[in-house]
Amino acid sequence: MKTRGFVPWLYILPASILILFFLVYPTVRTLWLSCLDHRSVHPVGIDNYRFVFASETTRVAVRNNLLWMIVFPVLTVSLGLVLAVLADKVTYERAFKAVIFLPMAISFVGAGVIWRFVYAFRPIEVSQVGLLNALVVACGGQPQDWLSKAPWVNNLCLIFIGVWIWTGFCMTVFSAAYKGLPAEIMEAARMDGAGGWQLFWQITLPLLRPTIGVVTITMAVFALKVFDIIYVTTNGLFDTEVLANRMYKEMFLYNNMGRASAIATLLLVASVLILGVNMFRQPTKEG
Amino acid sequence: MKKLLAFLLLVALLTPSLVACAPAAVAPTAAPTAEPAQQSAPTEPPQPATEAPAAQQGAQIEILGPWGGLEQDALLKVIAPFEKEKGIQVNYTGTRDVSLVLSRARAGNPPDFYISPLPAVTWELAKDNRLVALDSFMDMDKVKAAYAPDWLGLGSVDNHLYGIFGPVTIKSIVWYNPKQFAARGYKVPQTWNEMLALTDQIAKDGTTPWSIAMGSGDATGWVGTDWIEDIMLRTVGPQEYDKWVNHEFPWTDPRVKKAWEMFGQIALNKDYVFGGTQGELSVDFGDGADAVYSNPPHACLHRQALFMYDFVRKHFPDLKPGEDVDFFMVPPIDPQFGNPAEAAGEMLIMFRDTPANRDFINYWASADAQKLIVQYFGRLSSNSQVPAEVYNDPLLKKGAELLTKANAVRFDASDLMPSAIGAGAFWKGVVDYVNGKDLDTVLKAVEEASVDAYKQ
């Protein structure tokens, strides 16, 4: 049912204008700014991109973003999936899920502040204010400054904050998908003698694959853009820098529009690539 | 389920655009300010340097500055007598956002005044011809009689004066507990080596000598840079210090390296610093003196600016200044440079030349206004005509004396460097160094960033 003429164009016009103004224009402008100097006056060619790829700080930021993009989706998706399937079997499912979902209701900045307290360090001579170190000391250990232990401990500690926030979201999506799975297939599998474990691996997981794919991609994109958590906790010190935080610094602290735009472009390209992978992976079967 | 997936994809698709939006978004914020401002009348034609006509009643002055809260209240109290006398209304807006001021200035719509926390910002604006040269109308003999050359120099570019300081603070001081010193037989060190010997003595007596609290949220690192600046000032002297600030010799210079090592001699020694390097990096600077004044004390010495007094008084209201709480100046290292003071403060700079604005900056520079600044801010004044009696607290008085008697006064170097260094690579370098990174690597990184930042 193809309608020719300008009527369909008329329908998409408002949306197109909005997209043009809020998506296309800023993107093109960012690209343009990324080729200008720090005050957006003189063109500098690819100098800003050279900085993005060659400077020590941004290299560390790229490394950390990659770490985030691997560890964060793996943890959120696997924990979310397991919790969704387990929650289905408990009596107080709603209450259980509500508790897991709760961190989602807290702003990222709030979560960052909360976890800064959890990880807080005080010398052993004075009483601990951080939950984690209080536990460590109670068990007879030495308090640790978790956020200064580069590069593994502190980055994983920070990623865990993200996991704490987002696992509930993943769980909720998986739970909805899980409940939508056709009961007949499950039943048939059970009749054929499949145990709980087999059921999960052979039936549930393959059926949930499209959902898992989308959620994983979404989480990876979030990991790429992580900012608030880093900004509030370490501000990129101790080798925990990420690209979005560096972009913020270049723009608002160092007043270098060119570099900030170059980093923004890099983030945009990376996000588009990830989303592109998803598009190709899933042939559209609309109907 | 399909709908949910579609929604998720939509979310994922739209969100990266936020990233792309961000930098571009700055331009629109600058754009509206380009429109002529409604509240401030167009700049009057520059008045002849002689006899400016009296400001009109009902004129308005717009001031932007970095202060909010208690500091804003203090500023308003300082301004109040001026408003009353002249019938001029002063509107103050506090913002931490320096870039707002820069972009308004570039767009041709600056406020009347800005209280600049960073001399580097003043210089940049002056070089761009955005500021009014104060020597074009102020009585410079009077100004020079009241303000020391060092302070005027910080507000000057190419021999023209652009800024007059408000509240200032002295940074090169070490806090200690006189009663505890007396009880243990410690003496206030007169040289750096004596201070190191004292440090060692305290450690042998079973207390950690130093509390170095560097935690400061997104600004962590500045406490360490202050240490290194103090050492530089005492090892290479004020002239070379200025060259260092201007990046006329590299960070990899042996003199710079030596200053870092002297800092490291204390800061990297687990037995010298409360909580070791971990405590040093994570304890918030506001809690830095707690270890010295707590009962029992966990440390005996704490190097931090005079503003620490506010925290000490808040945390330990019962301590008596001069008896339980006191400070001494960071002692000299190379005798030829004596005892220079590192200081910091905010200066008033003027964008528009109007009679009302001239009146205001003359008021600001006067001993009367500077007295009020001391009273309401509880800090020091760079105006030497402010009488000592104004400092109603013995420690504030002592701070003011140390500042005036100092062999030289130099501003916090990191505040003078480009922000990518002074609020970036330098902070990061200090943190990395304390956290165990190799000094040569650290200095190389700061140098690389500097080569890049000073180019601009």
Side-chain angles (χ1 to χ4, degrees), chain B residues 367-389:
Chain B
D368 287 342
Q370 295 280 329
K371 245 191 273 180
L372 297 181
I373 287 176
V374 170
Q375 272 170 14
Y376 294 127
F377 280 85
R379 292 200 220 148
L380 313 179
S381 166
S382 56
N383 186 318
S384 53
Q385 288 166 352
V386 170
E389 305 90 73

Side-chain angles (χ1 to χ4, degrees), chain A residues 23 30 39 145 225 235 259, chain B residues 15 17 20 124 218 278 452:
Chain A
L23 200 64
T30 304
R39 279 196 199 161
D145 186 17
K225 296 179 305 179
N235 195 25
R259 285 178 182 174
Chain B
T15 36
S17 67
E124 191 181 336
D218 59 353
Q278 295 191 35
D452 190 57

